[in-house]
Amino acid sequence: MTRIDRKFAALKAEGKKAFVSYTMAGDPDYDTSLELMKGLPGAGVDIIELGMPFTDPMADGPTIQLAGQRALDGGQTLQKTLDMAAEFRKGDDDTPIVMMGYYNPIYSRGVDRFLTDAKAAGIDGLIVVDLPPEEDEELCIPAQKAGLNFIRLATPTTDDRRLPKVLQNTSGFVYYVSITGITGAAAAQATDVGPEVARIKAATDLPLIVGFGIRSPETARAIASVADGAVVGSAIVKMVEEKRTVPEILSFVESLAAGAHSA
């Protein structure tokens, strides 16, 4: 079992839904980003999604695009992102870390080297949004063999014909994108998400976590009530952009986590 598997088993035993947070590694700088990351579990975060900054993040809206650019301008690299995870692991060996981003930086580093280094840094899973199931031999299969979960995105346009292909090599959990569009673009609606979650859960035993468009504790609760948990990214990253302090950001994260956990 991976840390992700153990986390979901523990949450299920407690009758709780998961709260997943996304932050961009290196935004606004390495030290602040690491301080924020270290504070997330104490604020109620069950799984940390750590963004890998990239110059062309096609699935992301302006908030996360700008976060990636700030990180890159500040000197963040894939190596520094792995270093952050390793530093975090010195004080926390339980909270799962999922690296989320795009394939180009991984490809540039070399898949075998990246997987070895990610495993050594304490990474538990990968979300690589621009690698479809047709390219599973490229990274997904090697990642699974290395002991990392490979988490796939399902969307409102993933129909019943496409769904089995999306699910076939997915592990850890399924990430359901609640809206058609980019991150931070629209508000998620539990009434829209509920039937889709039920449809996907009928095809897999994996936990299903919903992200995109969740900005408040109330929405986190509503979404978690129809799924296995909720992901918040842009709303947290926006506070970093606004130069809010780490304690202020963690207080907001705590309110989101409480919303999801009360579902």
Side-chain angles (χ1 to χ4, degrees):
M1 289 179 80
T2 65
R3 287 187 188 90
I4 295 171
D5 299 328
R6 289 197 296 272
K7 177 60 72 174
F8 279 111
L11 288 167
K12 188 174 183 180
E14 295 176 41
K16 284 172 70 174
K17 301 300 180 73
F19 179 67
V20 183
S21 69
Y22 170 96
T23 56
M24 179 65 73
D27 176 37
D29 55 68
Y30 180 91
D31 290 339
T32 306
S33 181
L34 179 59
E35 182 187 353
L36 178 57
M37 184 184 183
K38 286 181 175 179
L40 292 173
V45 171
D46 298 301
I47 297 172
I48 294 170
E49 282 182 11
L50 188 60
M52 297 182 280
F54 179 53
T55 51
D56 188 23
M58 62 185 183
D60 292 305
T63 299
I64 290 178
Q65 282 189 31
L66 288 168
Q69 199 56 57
R70 285 193 300 271
L72 291 169
D73 289 346
Q76 188 72 10
T77 61
L78 181 54
Q79 181 59 52
K80 285 187 176 181
T81 303
L82 292 167
D83 291 344
M84 269 184 68
E87 194 62 35
F88 174 87
R89 278 282 169 249
K90 291 178 182 177
D92 185 322
D93 196 41
D94 297 320
T95 306
I97 303 171
V98 175
M99 287 181 75
M100 184 171 185
Y102 299 82
Y103 185 45
N104 187 284
I106 296 170
Y107 177 80
S108 297
R109 190 179 187 88
V111 168
D112 291 345
R113 181 185 170 205
F114 169 76
L115 292 174
T116 299
D117 294 345
K119 188 73 177 168
I123 301 298
D124 304 288
L126 303 173
I127 300 174
V128 183
V129 298
D130 55 348
L131 270 184
E134 286 75 14
E135 305 297 333
D136 274 358
E137 294 294 336
E138 194 80 19
L139 179 63
C140 173
I141 303 299
Q144 308 265 35
K145 286 178 180 172
L148 297 172
N149 289 127
F150 198 87
I151 295 140
R152 192 82 68 190
L153 303 180
T155 73
T157 59
T158 306
D159 60 20
D160 289 338
R161 189 175 57 181
R162 178 66 173 168
L163 187 59
K165 188 77 172 171
V166 169
L167 295 174
Q168 69 181 1
N169 290 315
T170 300
S171 66
F173 61 92
V174 178
Y175 186 131
Y176 179 69
V177 176
S178 65
I179 56 171
T180 50
I182 52 177
T183 56
Q189 303 291 336
T191 49
D192 298 332
V193 169
E196 287 297 291
V197 168
R199 178 175 71 90
I200 295 167
K201 284 186 74 66
T204 180
D205 293 330
L206 291 170
L208 200 148
I209 306 299
V210 176
F212 285 49
I214 302 171
R215 303 191 189 102
S216 69
E218 294 75 23
T219 309
R221 184 183 190 281
I223 293 297
S225 71
V226 299
D228 295 306
V231 186
V232 178
S234 293
I236 299 170
V237 172
K238 188 71 178 171
M239 293 190 76
V240 178
E241 181 184 331
E242 293 168 354
K243 297 183 168 59
R244 306 288 275 275
T245 65
V246 169
E248 284 177 319
I249 298 168
L250 291 175
S251 177
F252 176 57
V253 170
E254 193 169 358
S255 73
L256 294 166
H261 289 150
S262 68

